[in-house]
Amino acid sequence: MNTSEIIKTVFLPVSAKVAWGYLTEADKLAKWFHPPQQDLADGQDYALLGTDSGDKMCWGKVLKMDPYHALSYSFAIKPFPDMDTEVHWTLDEIEGGTRITMRHTGLENVGAQSFGLSMALDKGWDGHFAKLRDI
Amino acid sequence: MDALAVKSFKALGDPTRQQILALLAEQDMTIGQVVDHFDMTRAGVKKHMKLLEVGQLITVKAEGRERINSLNREGFKSIMQWIAYFDQFWDDKLDALASLVEQEEQK
């Protein structure tokens, strides 16, 4: 059974070195994800901030940095602050570019508080989803 | 999503319980039949099955003197929604990444 893991791949027409920059450097992350306060660094906590609000949107700790090959960090997002999941990126240089594989694991470790909060707000799950999509 | 979903996730977050679910996905079983697949006491297996039942991932039905355990496919809905949310989340992010790289690198 593997219901608690998401795997995605994306092809980027650039070298692994360039692709790595998009996954780890603050100014590049800002353009497709959310801006962190600084570049990701091995063993360090990170937080990605909302562009307008400045609130923490996603956060965790960098677990592994193997430059141009592999990057892992723990991962929680604002609506589910105590979720305990991990995101693993691998970069494979192939002809004409780099294949990036993203694996989001541990989705069963959602954290009870998250649900407590959503219940307190008395929102249906669908409503909650709609709000999340606006982030 | 509600407290039940938390129980569903708790039930799912264990390798033994995942194995039990995989067995029940193939066919309904009594506890005895499930126990046969594990190097574990009947009491141990029963404890796992109780958590699966509380999380509504399985249903238990009495048939004569037997208690038959079945996979409750409905019970996976909230989990699937949770997974679906992140599935969409990453699709959006990775689309944004691919478009950005295309733009930036063609400059």
Side-chain angles (χ1 to χ4, degrees):
Chain A
M1 281 222 11
N2 221 347
T3 53
S4 57
E5 178 171 311
I6 292 172
I7 299 177
K8 301 276 178 194
T9 59
V10 62
F11 173 80
L12 300 179
V14 294
S15 68
K17 190 178 175 184
V18 171
W20 180 259
Y22 283 92
L23 298 181
T24 59
E25 291 170 15
D27 58 330
K28 293 196 172 81
L29 278 168
K31 290 180 183 167
W32 69 274
F33 210 148
H34 293 292
Q37 285 153 312
Q38 56 213 12
D39 293 354
L40 300 189
D42 204 354
Q44 299 291 308
D45 290 341
Y46 71 92
L48 308 180
L49 309 178
T51 316
D52 300 325
S53 63
D55 290 350
K56 281 205 294 185
M57 306 304 284
C58 310
W59 61 89
K61 184 178 183 175
V62 179
L63 303 171
K64 175 181 162 185
M65 272 184 120
D66 174 9
Y68 321 147
H69 297 294
L71 166 71
S72 298
Y73 42 76
S74 58
F75 184 79
I77 67 172
K78 193 181 173 189
F80 308 108
D82 58 346
M83 68 188 263
D84 179 18
T85 68
E86 290 182 5
V87 177
H88 305 272
W89 299 88
T90 41
L91 293 75
D92 295 299
E93 235 171 51
I94 54 178
E95 204 182 331
T98 302
R99 185 180 58 227
I100 294 186
T101 307
M102 189 287 308
R103 215 157 50 84
H104 189 183
T105 64
L107 283 168
E108 70 277 11
N109 303 317
V110 52
Q113 250 182 42
S114 316
F115 296 105
L117 183 68
S118 66
M119 277 189 291
L121 294 171
D122 195 32
K123 281 204 170 116
W125 184 239
D126 288 341
H128 208 59
F129 265 128
K131 185 160 169 273
L132 288 171
R133 290 216 177 89
D134 293 339
I135 289 170
Chain B
M1 210 158 191
D2 50 18
L4 171 61
V6 178
K7 290 180 181 132
S8 302
F9 272 104
K10 190 179 172 197
L12 193 60
D14 174 271
T16 302
R17 293 196 285 279
Q18 289 170 10
Q19 280 176 20
I20 294 172
L21 291 171
L23 287 170
L24 294 178
E26 286 174 23
Q27 61 176 100
D28 296 350
M29 287 186 184
T30 62
I31 285 194
Q33 286 171 309
V34 175
V35 171
D36 287 346
H37 287 83
F38 293 93
D39 186 17
M40 196 186 288
T41 62
R42 187 182 172 91
V45 170
K46 215 167 171 176
K47 207 170 134 193
H48 284 297
M49 309 263 306
K50 191 70 207 169
L51 283 170
L52 288 170
E53 192 184 346
V54 169
Q56 297 194 7
L57 298 180
I58 66 172
T59 51
V60 186
K61 190 174 63 186
E63 245 173 51
R65 292 176 57 193
E66 302 271 39
R67 285 163 58 80
I68 310 292
N69 300 274
S70 316
L71 197 67
N72 177 26
R73 289 178 169 79
E74 280 290 300
F76 287 85
K77 266 191 180 165
S78 54
I79 293 173
M80 295 316 290
Q81 282 177 316
W82 168 255
I83 303 289
Y85 166 67
F86 280 100
D87 198 76
Q88 187 63 48
F89 176 89
W90 289 114
D91 276 348
D92 292 348
K93 298 298 181 205
L94 293 178
D95 280 355
L97 172 62
S99 313
L100 173 68
V101 169
E102 201 171 310
Q103 275 174 25
E104 297 276 318
E105 302 305 322
Q106 277 179 358
K107 274 181 188 169

